[in-house]
Amino acid sequence: MSPAAPTGDQPGNEPEGAPAPVPPRPPAPASGVLQHLLPSDPSVIAGYRLLGRLGAGGMGVVYLGRTDNGELAAVKVTHADQADQPDFRARFRREVEAARRVVSPWAVPVTGADPDAPEPWMATAFVPGPSLGEAVAAHGPLPERSVRVLGAAVARALAAVHAAGLVHRDVKPGNVLLAVDGPRLIDFGIARTTGETALTATDMVVGTPGFLAPEQAEARTDAIGPPADVFALGCLLAYAATGRPPFGTGAVDALMYRTVHDEPDLGGVPAGLLDLLRACLAKDPAARPAAERVAAGLVEDAPGGAADWLPAPVVRTIAERSARMLALPEIDATTAGLAPAAAAPNRRRFLTLAAGGAVLVAGAGAAAWAAFGGDEKSKPPPPPRARKWTIGVQADLSGPAKDIGRAQERGVRLAVERLNARKDKPFTLDVKVVDDGGDRSRALAAARTLTGDRDVLGIVGPTSDYTAFTALPAYDEARLPVLTVSAGLNLLINPDAPQGVSIVRACPMHPFGAMALAYYVQAKTRSRRPGLLQERTDDTYSWQYVVGANFGFKQGGIVPTPRVIPGGAKQLERVLGEMVEAGMDAYLHAGLAPSAIRAAKTLDALGFRGMRITGQHVFGTEFLTGAGKAAEGWIVGAPVVDPTTRKEAAELIAAHRTAYGTVPAFYTGEAYDVTNLLVQYVEQAAKGGRRPDRTTLAPQIRKAKYAGAMGGYTFDDDGNLNGVGTFMYAVENGRYKPLEFAPSGPPKAGGS
């Protein structure tokens, strides 16, 4: 039995006194990764044949549907039990009516709906591009011209909303989709007629914190009108220009307060946009310009006939998704709808491919077609060139885990050099490295750089938990195998959802690493009152360690004494003193290196001599140098083996000395091993001179039984490492002395 690990935010943690949030509603029509239908999903809704899932939420699912004439649509379906709730059908009917009343080339149109069906549904035209939020997260802020074109189009869409007597009330990056011919405003789920209050409870905040007006933040229902949408548009454009919301991020109540009382942070906004954005973000609704005036103040030109209003990386993302829509399985070839669609303002040089609902730039179409796939008979043949395939590395080379990232990069390079040096090599390999700096805001863009290269056959990395979590959807979307030796976050793989289908994790999940520490305490001491401290700077990691350790101690019949301190290790010294005074006889630290350094010094000063043990995110030179003599005797568990203790690593050590003049650092050997494992399957897939299909590699690697320089590797069906995977070290004379693998369970009764 494995410990129950957290899977996300839990209810009941809302700030006291915070305004009531809007109840959840079905997800908006999306343009993201297409997921397979579940056995319980219908195959047809009305006249739409369902091809896959675009998104899902607590109240419904959005499917990708296709009509008989080949047109694609986003079909939003609500659950039957939701339809039985009071006022639900009235709300859903209102959403359909609101969306139908808005007539604008920059708003996604409704193509069908039935609010009275047992499971109410609505279909809108499908836009294959990413949302503004996805694009900024992946590729960074937009240039000024892009922001102007974006703002002018969305302002015109809002003008149409307001002309229809409506207020959108949820203008945010996720509700603006990017297409090559301009953006599209979506989701009228909480739009209402100006002055309407019957279906909105008093004191209910409607909208998305960070992208709502002060009158929305204060739930002043009577004051919410078209100016609220203009304020949200100002927030949206500031985000597009800078990559961050103008009132910051964080707790909902703090966001609400800053929206009402603080001035927006417009640092980094181009000077030519500042005056207009300040006007949009006025606290007084009467001081904000109308949407038409905003559009007039932004227009330099409309989106051109090419996708030149967007940066090239965003265009590539749109082209990639468009090509995938054209290649969807089981879409019958059609001739209907091949005539050009109704033209939006100033659209030029576009070819509308109605069979896939995709828009490709004529000028860049050949390049996009060749890069992302299309009809083999119609695309131009690529020029001949020498074949070289590539192993990708996504690593932190300049951030907090740069030592680990650099060690892993070296391991990959040495494994690739090993193949390239073979006389019987079937091909040569390159290494392509992308540095995400350990910054999750850069992680998705790093992944897109690698997935966009068709010659990249697999990835080693990412280095860190949260960069892996952010990047993984891109790798899942491309079905590109990802082998990580250091990302132990349990949320990377969800067996109950199509998440983590590409990852192969050659390290234990954090809860299992913590279980190993608890087992080690029991195996090596007679502790009956172990102390367990959770330090919440990295709340997810420390909580997973607490869950795993509690489970491990419980199996041995021991109930630890748990304490929790806030992020930044506030109150650490006082709490440790209380734990020692209460008779703690062993100490397990669930936190990061800075707090572990302070804990080591405090326990040393208190004269505590029981076992002091901690885990993966403390293992490293920071703890040794920071704690100094106080670190002596600490036990640290980590998912790595000292290569100098392995005779099987002799070849690796010799190669590393030749290339870098030293013995390999920790994590180099594990990266070397998983690269050799990946190369083995690439070589099998390339037999007979075939081009390896990278989308088939991850399932095969998960079935591997591989003996590497650092030991043996096998994985379960979900790609997790089998076995303990945690090695124990004692700090001795300022260095980590290898001990042994952690035990796989608590000692038997009567053991020491």
Side-chain angles (χ1 to χ4, degrees), residues 689-744:
R690 301 188 304 268
R691 176 188 176 86
D693 181 354
R694 67 187 190 177
T695 69
T696 67
L697 295 175
Q700 297 179 54
I701 295 172
R702 288 180 173 187
K703 298 176 181 178
K705 294 182 179 179
Y706 183 74
M710 298 294 103
Y713 300 82
T714 63
F715 309 94
D716 65 20
D717 291 340
D718 297 318
N720 287 308
L721 181 70
N722 287 323
V724 178
T726 298
F727 202 83
M728 308 307 297
Y729 294 84
V731 178
E732 186 175 296
N733 298 321
R735 303 184 67 178
Y736 290 110
K737 176 185 176 182
L739 297 175
E740 58 215 327
F741 273 112
S744 58

Side-chain angles (χ1 to χ4, degrees), residues 2 47 146 161 183 252 263 318 324 340-341 354 389 454 456 460 519 589 596 622 640 655 677 707 711:
S2 62
S146 298
V161 171
V252 170
E263 292 302 313
I318 296 172
R324 279 197 297 274
W389 294 318
R454 298 183 71 204
V456 173
V460 177
Y519 296 152
H589 186 85
E622 180 183 1
V640 288
L677 172 59

Side-chain angles (χ1 to χ4, degrees), residues 450-586:
L450 294 169
T451 60
D453 185 340
R454 298 183 71 204
D455 286 341
V456 173
L457 301 181
I459 305 297
V460 177
T463 308
S464 307
D465 288 339
Y466 303 108
T467 53
F469 186 73
T470 304
L472 195 55
Y475 294 127
D476 282 348
E477 182 179 4
R479 294 297 191 267
L480 188 61
V482 179
L483 293 88
T484 182
V485 299
S486 52
L489 188 70
N490 75 323
L491 303 180
L492 296 179
I493 295 177
N494 183 358
D496 299 322
Q499 172 183 312
V501 297
S502 301
I503 195 168
V504 179
R505 192 196 326 244
C507 61
M509 291 188 290
H510 293 318
F512 291 97
M515 285 167 53
L517 302 189
Y519 296 152
Y520 193 82
V521 171
Q522 296 170 66
K524 299 298 180 181
T525 74
R526 297 183 180 274
S527 172
R528 303 307 299 172
R529 302 192 65 180
L532 176 57
L533 184 74
Q534 177 189 357
E535 186 262 312
R536 298 185 60 185
T537 298
D538 184 342
D539 202 21
T540 303
Y541 165 81
S542 59
W543 171 244
Q544 290 183 14
Y545 257 69
V546 166
V547 168
N550 268 320
F551 181 86
F553 282 124
K554 183 178 179 180
Q555 285 198 308
I558 298 172
V559 178
T561 302
R563 296 296 300 270
V564 181
I565 58 174
K570 298 175 183 178
Q571 309 168 19
L572 171 64
E573 287 78 9
R574 177 179 63 79
V575 169
L576 285 175
E578 292 172 354
M579 295 172 75
V580 171
E581 187 175 346
M584 173 179 73
D585 58 12

Side-chain angles (χ1 to χ4, degrees), residues 576-675:
L576 285 175
E578 292 172 354
M579 295 172 75
V580 171
E581 187 175 346
M584 173 179 73
D585 58 12
Y587 173 72
L588 195 155
H589 186 85
L592 305 182
S595 59
I597 291 169
R598 286 171 55 188
K601 292 180 177 179
T602 300
L603 292 175
D604 186 60
L606 292 171
F608 180 77
R609 294 295 176 261
M611 178 175 282
R612 293 143 293 159
I613 192 167
T614 188
Q616 178 180 345
H617 284 356
V618 176
F619 184 76
T621 57
E622 180 183 1
F623 177 66
L624 298 179
T625 57
K629 292 183 179 179
E632 293 293 308
W634 273 67
I635 306 296
V636 186
V640 288
V641 179
D642 183 346
T644 63
T645 66
R646 296 274 303 171
K647 63 180 181 181
E648 295 86 348
E651 178 183 321
L652 166 64
I653 293 172
H656 197 280
R657 285 189 183 278
T658 300
Y660 303 108
T662 63
V663 297
F666 291 112
Y667 290 99
T668 298
E670 285 72 20
Y672 178 82
D673 277 352
V674 298
T675 306

